């Protein structure tokens, strides 16, 4: 008997600010800018891309393009998106780093 699978999308799990923050923390630990852009795209889709676009002052098309695998979000876009999503960027020292 074959194993039955069901489609899964991270967007369905990003339903609270805490889950969104934990998701971004995990992505940031990887240190991959492309992964961060993809995660921000996931979060924007979960919140509603049109609403995020309105709150950032960017068009939906610009957000989709910027957060695509070929995109490269600038710091201003990142900060605008975080604000629109009700998040903030914080910095912490790496334990054991010199």
């Amino acid at each position: 008997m074959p194993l039955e699978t069901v489609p899964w999308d991270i967007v369905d799990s990003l339903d609270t600010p805490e889950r969104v923050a934990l998701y971004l923390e995990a992505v940031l630990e990887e240190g991959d800018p492309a992964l961060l852009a993809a995660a921000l795209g996931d979060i924007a889709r979960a919140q509603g891309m049109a609403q995020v676009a309105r709150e950032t002052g960017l068009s939906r098309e610009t957000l989709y393009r910027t957060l695509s695998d070929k995109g490269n979000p600038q710091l201003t876009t990142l900060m605008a998106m975080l604000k629109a999503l009700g998040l903030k960027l914080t910095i912490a020292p790496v334990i054991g780093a010199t």
Side-chain angles (χ1 to χ4, degrees):
M1 173 184 265
L3 180 65
E4 184 179 337
T5 62
V6 295
W8 182 81
D9 189 345
I10 186 66
V11 170
D12 298 330
S13 300
L14 300 173
D15 54 357
T16 67
E18 294 79 14
R19 287 182 176 186
V20 169
L22 288 170
Y23 179 50
L24 274 181
E25 281 183 32
V27 166
L28 286 169
E29 285 180 11
E30 293 296 318
D32 181 351
L35 187 57
L36 175 59
L40 287 170
D42 292 339
I43 295 165
R45 285 189 306 124
Q47 301 282 327
M49 192 65 80
Q51 179 172 332
V52 173
R54 269 191 308 278
E55 292 181 20
T56 60
L58 302 169
S59 71
R60 282 185 14 210
E61 294 77 16
T62 297
L63 281 180
Y64 279 116
R65 188 174 46 254
T66 301
L67 301 174
S68 75
D69 57 350
K70 292 181 173 73
N72 187 14
Q74 295 184 355
L75 184 57
T76 54
T77 304
L78 172 64
M79 298 305 288
M81 285 201 64
L82 291 175
K83 182 177 179 183
L85 298 170
L87 299 169
K88 66 179 181 176
L89 186 63
T90 59
I91 305 298
V94 175
I95 306 299
T98 56

